[in-house]
Amino acid sequence: MSVKLGMIGGGVMGEALLSRLISQKIYQPTEVIVGEKSAERRDYLAQQYGVSVTDDNQVVAQQVSTLLLAIKPQVFAAVTAELAASPLASAPLIISILAGVSLSQLETAFPQLPVIRAMPNTPATVGAGMTAFTSGSLASARDKQTAQQLFSAVGEVVEVSETLMDAVTGLSGSGPAYVALLVEALSDGGVAAGLPRALATQLALQTVRGTVQLLQETKIHPAELKDRVTSPGGTTIAGVTELERGGFRAALMAAVKAAAERSQELGAKD
Ligand SMILES: NC(=O)C1=CN([C@@H]2O[C@H](COP(=O)(O)OP(=O)(O)OC[C@H]3O[C@@H](n4cnc5c(N)ncnc54)[C@H](OP(=O)(O)O)[C@@H]3O)[C@@H](O)[C@H]2O)C=CC1
Ligand SMILES: O=C(O)[C@@H]1CCC=N1
């Protein structure tokens, strides 16, 4: 076994992890091989990160100590059927980041192998990711440590019970999209109020970043911060009134729940 990390699926999330793992020197490019069906993506990943690439997932799985699955849940069955064609000589640790795909589905697909189900998110690219993971029955303390080290390199890591993984997916897995919409909408609002676009986006980004930092460092409850910003009869309560009228909080809660339910559905398909 000569290669430490194999990745199957080199799309958005695969690249988000790969880029940071390489830039932080957690793995050397020579220690990584990516199995990817798209020739265009293979060429791009090889050129951008210097990793080995192949369209043959068996070639990946046969020579690595850790096999990271980063394909869509919809192709999980096809990919695992392809891998099941011959036993994996290197007995790798399997780490799946697939939404919805359960530990029991992973253990059925990879009998006798240690499996870990993880849910990272795209801020991993800049080392600000949030990953939750849960381990299968054959995963050793060392396997968990491998997962912990890999995901620590791209942000914060928590170990959770598998029963929480769909909810994690709905919140932190999908969450960067909600926050991106928030930033875009704040910027649009600034433009509507007369700000130039670049300035509006700068204000929106720094306001979100600063608020998060304030909440994290002071540990005050979000409701208390809201109270501190809303001066009696002032501007903020006028804005908050509109958010309440538009169902802002209910919409965010429903979004997390809908995404968690979709995660469950994606797993139930296989
Ligand atoms: N995007 C995100 O923020 C997050 C995603 N995830 C999970 O990561 C996984 C990947 O998501 P994402 O990166 O967004 O999806 P992408 O579609 O961007 O990436 C999947 C990649 O796998 C390739 N692929 C398809 N079939 C095969 C195959 N048989 N063998 C090898 N590669 C194949 C796809 O190629 P092609 O496009 O040609 O089909 C594509 O490049 C999903 O399971 C998702 O649930 C988890 C956390 C966050
Ligand atoms: O949208 C998705 O299905 C994936 C899982 C979490 C984030 N993106």
Side-chain angles (χ1 to χ4, degrees):
M1 183 194 313
S2 58
V3 180
K4 289 189 177 167
L5 178 69
M7 183 180 285
I8 296 188
V12 171
M13 197 59 219
E15 184 182 1
L17 295 171
L18 183 65
S19 61
R20 188 74 185 174
L21 292 170
I22 297 286
S23 74
Q24 295 304 293
K25 303 195 186 324
I26 306 302
Y27 295 101
Q28 297 300 318
T30 50
E31 295 174 325
V32 179
I33 182 165
V34 180
E36 167 59 54
K37 291 296 169 197
S38 156
E40 200 183 322
R41 285 297 290 172
R42 283 200 304 277
D43 291 348
Y44 165 77
L45 294 171
Q47 215 215 338
Q48 186 73 17
Y49 303 106
V51 296
S52 301
V53 291
T54 174
D55 67 350
D56 186 343
N57 292 329
Q58 274 280 353
V59 167
V60 177
Q62 291 296 348
Q63 57 175 313
V64 295
S65 53
T66 301
L67 183 62
L68 182 70
L69 301 179
I71 28 101
K72 293 187 198 80
Q74 290 89 341
V75 298
F76 174 69
V79 168
T80 52
E82 186 188 348
L83 295 181
S86 22
L88 302 186
S90 59
L93 164 65
I94 307 291
I95 302 181
S96 162
I97 62 163
L98 279 61
V101 175
S102 66
L103 286 173
S104 105
Q105 286 171 296
L106 291 166
E107 287 183 333
T108 303
F110 298 99
Q112 316 301 328
L113 292 183
V115 302
I116 284 179
R117 174 182 175 186
M119 181 47 55
N121 65 9
T122 44
T125 312
V126 291
M130 182 70 244
T131 303
F133 79 90
T134 190
S135 310
S137 54
L138 296 179
S140 64
R142 194 156 169 229
D143 293 327
K144 289 185 200 184
Q145 205 185 358
T146 299
Q148 181 84 36
Q149 277 169 352
L150 190 152
F151 291 112
S152 294
V154 301
E156 286 186 26
V157 185
V158 286
E159 187 172 357
V160 300
S161 146
E162 183 170 34
T163 53
L164 302 182
M165 286 301 287
D166 292 316
V168 162
T169 303
L171 204 173
S172 55
S174 298
Y178 316 150
V179 177
L181 284 176
L182 171 73
V183 169
E184 185 190 20
L186 287 173
S187 175
D188 282 349
V191 170
L195 296 175
R197 172 63 69 183
L199 178 59
T201 301
Q202 181 187 358
L203 299 187
L205 282 171
Q206 182 57 15
T207 301
V208 171
R209 187 208 302 273
T211 306
V212 168
Q213 195 176 335
L214 179 60
L215 288 170
Q216 280 186 324
E217 288 184 14
T218 61
K219 300 194 183 352
I220 61 171
H221 191 284
E224 192 187 330
L225 176 56
K226 182 262 295 169
D227 285 357
R228 286 189 198 180
V229 185
T230 45
S231 308
T235 62
T236 313
I237 197 65
V240 168
T241 303
E242 286 307 311
L243 289 178
E244 292 294 337
R245 211 193 303 279
F248 179 70
R249 289 190 301 162
L252 277 177
M253 290 167 65
V256 173
K257 202 151 172 280
E261 283 163 8
R262 180 64 187 143
S263 174
Q264 258 176 344
E265 276 172 22
L266 284 170
K269 267 196 181 135
D270 285 311

